Amino acid sequence: MTSSPSASATTALTGDQIRQKFLDFYAAKGHTILPSASLIPEDPTVLLTIAGMLPFKPIFLGQEAPKVPRATTAQKCLRTNDIENVGRTARHHTFFEMLGNFSFGDYFKAEAIAWAWELMTKVYGLPPDRLLVSVFENDDEAYEIWHRQVGLPKERIQRMGEESNFWTAGPTGPCGPCSEIYYDFHPEEGLDTVDLEDDRRFIELYNLVFMEWNQDDQGRRTPLKAKNIDTGMGLERMAQVLQGVPNNYETDLIFPIIEAAAQRAGIQYRKANASTKTSLKVIGDHTRAVVHLIADGVTASNVGRGYVLRRLIRRIVRHSRLLGMNELVTPALAQVAIDLAANVYPNVRERQAVILSELQREEEQFLKTLDRGEKLLAEMLAPLKTAKGKKRSKPQLAGRDAFVLFDTYGFPLELTQEIAAEQGIGVDVAEFEACMAEQRQRSQAAHETIDITVQEGIDSLADQLHPTQFRGYDEFSLTTTVTAILVAGHPVTTATAGTEVQVILEETPFYAESGGQIGDRGYLATSDALVQIHDVQKQKELFVHYGKVERGSLSVGDRVSAQIDLSCRRRVQAHHTATHLLQAALKRLIDENISQAGSLVAFDRLRFDFNCPRALTREELQQIEDQINTWISESHPTHTSIMALNEAKAKGAIAMFGEKYGEQVRVLDIPGVSMELCGGTHVHNTAEIGLFKIISESGVAAGIRRIEAIAGPAVRDYLQQRDSIVRELCDRFKAKPEEVLDRVSQLQADLKAQQKELEHLKAELALAKTQALLEQAEAVSNTHLLIASLAGVDPQGLKTAAEWLLNKLGSGAVVLATQPAADKVNLLVAASQDVVQRGVHAGQLVAELAQVCGGRGGGRPNFAQAGGSQPEKLPAALELAHSRLKGILES
């Protein structure tokens, strides 16, 4: 890529100056400069702040009134959906800054476009002949502003489709067209064949969104009462252009981090090969990202934002080691990133000690397992590398092997994939996900119900408190001592009524979520306090009870009565024991090699994932259900015992693949039926389950099936619901339950017959209308021209009509149109071969007609169809078709 011709005039502009000039420019235009929001968004629907407009989303959605009429920001953003492209392309990042100006019902297109052009050409000094813009294909207003008011030549304005130039907040809500400003790196190539998606030549610098419509759940758009402006300019991209460098990474925003990494590795960046540069770019990008994540309060974990942070840190370490840096690197590189950002984002300096400490701790922890994991992975990949040249298909590392690396050595799947990919080897992700199903479900549940800021508080308490003693196998209530209380992740001594708390007890009857079984519910009580517990999680040998203080106050050191909800416990016990029976039935009736690939044991249902290459038949599912209900009715006692792991395996106890077990294990034995290693809670006799019912069977991954079922009281609830539905159907059909199926079958038969009759009538009507059109054919230069509109005909009917007419005419051109809906039009052009040879091209003509009607289309020279959204312009389109065809045929 050649440098910008404006580089000599603009190289003095640093990234900080580019940012400040943007903010100052819009401040002078009456905008209020607002600080960047945190990377942890207030919006609960997203994990991280991914766009500059996100802090204003409630305003755009009409949920919140704006505090100012117009604003401008430099917003920190972080995305990981394109993480594989970081360092490999010129412009992909995880962390980036989005410069934006926003209008909340104040100014609109004319001002936004004029100011954007002034900013680009006057403030930043970009040559106008290096800039092109795109507008939404139907946005004539924006097109005219660019052309007539700004003075941009038409050849520098590109109309583009909805997929690239129309913004929506979601399936419903505010939406509107976009206009984007592009910089041309190679103007010498001319404007004859411009493709703005060619990122070798063009870079999108500035996106202007004109929010002027509201979209309903039917896709209909109505004008907004207050029209808004939302814009975004990537700081890194603008720095690349103004500083005349070949990619975003070599700007002063990131390159000092890359240089620091290169120096530590003893490498000269400019002389490095492509893979080395890629690693250095990854390090530079991710270092910025982790510094800002930690500064905004994220701590590394295996859940949510914490997992994003951990993944980025481990990628830094991994790429550092690829460059020969085996010592700690993240704190030193983070210091460079802190120094670069501190004058704009002071919180990185304020949190400097926390940032450096967190990075050092995470890197040290990762390095402990990295060496062993890398050696083991190398051993796993060796035979695949040998076989690579002998097979046509790409070799794959087994997902189970990748899971063992993760589960035993803390080796992330992404890292395994990255190392394997470097050697041309894939990873069976579907099999890995199957092995991870239980952990993934548990992590997701934790993400939905647990405030992840709790983790930091738990980590600090774990070193001070004794592990919680679980008494809940035999005791459902007990008196115990409160050893710690956390509120919003921070330890406190007292919590009062109305407070959401996390409570740690010396002993507990509450089961903490594990092994697929969810945590108990219940309450903690003192003489004047009541805490409702809705979940229990186990973290670092501590049972964390999540709940809310309903009355009074709870303090550390209080003696409390801890009582589980016995109804919920009985429900979950029935489901857990039923899960063991389900696995036994699958092994007995389907395949003895079936093994568990994940499970969920809840109060209202159970879910069991297992390895099986095919779907189970309805008959097989019924056999499984019957077998389990037989075992239940036979009243088999259940026995639990603690024994050595080797002894349990010798006795035939089934272990969950990949699960880590201690030397002593707990075994659940249902004599003659099942024996499994399990730490969960269970019924004492299968008869306590009552009934078992399979609800569904489905596939969740390659070779992995899932059965969802209910047991015990949940079956009663299920049957009551189904009985209510049957009663309602009986009332509506005036029939007995056994007659309902026949009535439905008869209705289906009647409906099918009516549909056939309707289709037959439609076909006869369409034929009659088509035959009537022959009289409208116009003789033109030894051929025929027929242009007409047909009502009540679908696209297929339109095609059939055109083919029939052309066959009858013998030689000619046919243009037909129909309006299937109030906001929709269909067009068709067909031509005989001799007419095509005379210069008629159906595809080109229908595209031109569709554009008149606000749509697009195309096709072959002899036949083409298109659609549009402006039926009111159909007469003009048909008139255009007549003049175009007549002109060609008479020439």
Side-chain angles (χ1 to χ4, degrees), residues 789-795 798 816-827 868-875:
S789 180
L790 276 172
V793 180
D794 60 18
L798 213 60
L816 297 179
T818 187
Q819 184 181 339
D823 59 349
K824 191 174 182 181
V825 60
N826 290 327
L827 295 154
S869 59
Q870 299 172 1
E872 68 276 9
K873 295 185 179 180
L874 184 55

Coordinates of all heavy atoms in Angstrom, one line a residue, residues 789-795 798 816-827 868-875:
S789 N -50.2 -5.4 -16.6 CA -50.2 -5.7 -15.1 C -51.3 -6.7 -14.8 O -52.4 -6.5 -15.3 CB -50.4 -4.4 -14.3 OG -50.4 -4.6 -13.0
L790 N -51.0 -7.7 -14.1 CA -51.9 -8.7 -13.7 C -52.2 -8.7 -12.2 O -51.2 -8.6 -11.4 CB -51.3 -10.1 -14.1 CG -51.5 -10.6 -15.5 CD1 -50.8 -11.9 -15.7 CD2 -53.0 -10.9 -15.8
A791 N -53.4 -8.7 -11.8 CA -53.8 -8.6 -10.4 C -54.0 -10.1 -9.8 O -54.4 -11.0 -10.5 CB -55.0 -7.8 -10.2
G792 N -53.6 -10.2 -8.6 CA -53.9 -11.5 -7.9 C -53.1 -12.7 -8.4 O -53.5 -13.8 -8.3
V793 N -51.8 -12.4 -8.9 CA -51.0 -13.5 -9.4 C -49.7 -13.5 -8.7 O -49.1 -12.5 -8.5 CB -50.7 -13.3 -10.9 CG1 -49.9 -14.5 -11.5 CG2 -52.1 -13.3 -11.7
D794 N -49.2 -14.7 -8.2 CA -48.0 -14.8 -7.5 C -46.8 -14.9 -8.5 O -47.1 -15.0 -9.8 CB -48.0 -16.0 -6.6 CG -48.2 -17.3 -7.3 OD1 -48.0 -17.4 -8.5 OD2 -48.5 -18.3 -6.6
P795 N -45.5 -14.8 -8.1 CA -44.4 -14.9 -9.0 C -44.4 -16.1 -9.9 O -44.1 -16.0 -11.1 CB -43.2 -14.9 -8.1 CG -43.7 -14.2 -6.9 CD -45.1 -14.6 -6.7
L798 N -47.0 -15.5 -12.5 CA -46.5 -14.6 -13.5 C -45.6 -15.2 -14.5 O -45.6 -15.0 -15.7 CB -45.7 -13.5 -12.7 CG -45.7 -12.1 -13.3 CD1 -47.1 -11.5 -13.3 CD2 -44.9 -11.1 -12.4
L816 N -44.5 -8.2 -17.7 CA -45.7 -8.4 -16.8 C -45.3 -7.9 -15.4 O -44.2 -8.0 -15.0 CB -46.1 -9.9 -16.8 CG -46.6 -10.5 -18.1 CD1 -47.0 -11.9 -17.8 CD2 -47.8 -9.7 -18.6
A817 N -46.4 -7.4 -14.7 CA -46.2 -7.0 -13.3 C -47.4 -7.3 -12.5 O -48.5 -7.5 -13.0 CB -46.0 -5.4 -13.3
T818 N -47.1 -7.5 -11.2 CA -48.2 -7.7 -10.3 C -47.9 -7.1 -8.9 O -46.7 -6.9 -8.6 CB -48.5 -9.2 -10.1 OG1 -49.7 -9.4 -9.3 CG2 -47.3 -9.9 -9.4
Q819 N -48.9 -6.8 -8.1 CA -48.7 -6.3 -6.8 C -49.3 -7.2 -5.8 O -50.5 -7.2 -5.4 CB -49.4 -4.9 -6.7 CG -49.2 -4.2 -5.4 CD -49.9 -2.8 -5.3 OE1 -50.3 -2.3 -6.3 NE2 -50.1 -2.4 -4.1
P820 N -48.4 -8.1 -5.2 CA -48.9 -9.1 -4.2 C -49.2 -8.5 -2.9 O -49.9 -9.2 -2.1 CB -47.8 -10.1 -4.2 CG -46.6 -9.3 -4.5 CD -47.0 -8.3 -5.5
A821 N -48.7 -7.3 -2.5 CA -49.0 -6.7 -1.2 C -49.0 -5.2 -1.4 O -48.6 -4.7 -2.4 CB -47.9 -7.2 -0.2
A822 N -49.4 -4.5 -0.3 CA -49.5 -3.0 -0.4 C -48.2 -2.4 -0.6 O -48.1 -1.3 -1.2 CB -50.2 -2.5 0.9
D823 N -47.1 -3.0 -0.2 CA -45.8 -2.4 -0.3 C -44.8 -3.3 -1.1 O -43.6 -3.3 -0.9 CB -45.2 -2.1 1.1 CG -45.0 -3.4 1.9 OD1 -45.6 -4.4 1.5 OD2 -44.4 -3.4 2.9
K824 N -45.4 -4.0 -2.1 CA -44.5 -5.0 -2.8 C -45.0 -5.0 -4.3 O -46.2 -5.0 -4.6 CB -44.6 -6.3 -2.2 CG -43.6 -7.3 -2.7 CD -43.6 -8.6 -1.9 CE -42.5 -9.6 -2.4 NZ -42.5 -10.8 -1.7
V825 N -44.1 -5.1 -5.2 CA -44.4 -5.3 -6.6 C -43.4 -6.3 -7.2 O -42.3 -6.4 -6.8 CB -44.2 -3.9 -7.3 CG1 -42.8 -3.4 -7.2 CG2 -44.6 -4.1 -8.8
N826 N -43.9 -7.2 -8.1 CA -43.1 -8.2 -8.8 C -43.1 -7.8 -10.3 O -44.2 -7.5 -10.9 CB -43.7 -9.6 -8.6 CG -43.4 -10.1 -7.2 OD1 -42.5 -9.7 -6.6 ND2 -44.4 -10.9 -6.7
L827 N -42.0 -7.9 -10.9 CA -41.8 -7.6 -12.3 C -41.2 -8.8 -13.1 O -40.3 -9.5 -12.5 CB -40.9 -6.4 -12.5 CG -41.4 -5.1 -12.0 CD1 -40.3 -4.1 -11.6 CD2 -42.3 -4.4 -13.0
G868 N -39.8 -5.0 -6.1 CA -39.7 -3.6 -5.6 C -40.6 -3.4 -4.5 O -41.5 -4.2 -4.1
S869 N -40.4 -2.2 -3.8 CA -41.2 -1.9 -2.6 C -42.0 -0.6 -2.8 O -42.6 -0.1 -1.8 CB -40.2 -1.7 -1.4 OG -39.3 -0.6 -1.7
Q870 N -42.1 -0.1 -4.0 CA -42.9 1.1 -4.3 C -43.9 0.9 -5.4 O -43.7 1.3 -6.6 CB -41.9 2.3 -4.6 CG -41.0 2.6 -3.4 CD -39.9 3.6 -3.8 OE1 -39.9 4.1 -4.9 NE2 -39.0 3.9 -2.9
P871 N -45.0 0.2 -5.1 CA -46.0 -0.1 -6.2 C -46.5 1.1 -6.9 O -47.0 1.1 -8.0 CB -47.1 -0.9 -5.4 CG -46.4 -1.4 -4.2 CD -45.4 -0.4 -3.9
E872 N -46.5 2.3 -6.2 CA -47.1 3.5 -6.8 C -46.3 3.9 -8.0 O -46.8 4.7 -8.8 CB -47.2 4.6 -5.7 CG -45.8 5.1 -5.2 CD -45.2 4.3 -4.1 OE1 -45.7 3.2 -3.8 OE2 -44.2 4.8 -3.6
K873 N -45.1 3.4 -8.1 CA -44.2 3.8 -9.3 C -44.3 2.8 -10.4 O -43.5 2.9 -11.4 CB -42.8 4.0 -8.8 CG -42.6 5.2 -7.8 CD -41.2 5.4 -7.5 CE -41.0 6.6 -6.5 NZ -39.6 6.8 -6.2
L874 N -45.2 1.8 -10.3 CA -45.3 0.8 -11.3 C -45.7 1.3 -12.7 O -45.2 0.9 -13.7 CB -46.3 -0.3 -10.8 CG -46.5 -1.5 -11.7 CD1 -45.1 -2.2 -12.0 CD2 -47.4 -2.5 -11.1
P875 N -46.7 2.2 -12.7 CA -47.1 2.8 -14.1 C -45.9 3.4 -14.8 O -45.7 3.2 -16.0 CB -48.1 3.8 -13.7 CG -48.8 3.3 -12.5 CD -47.6 2.7 -11.7

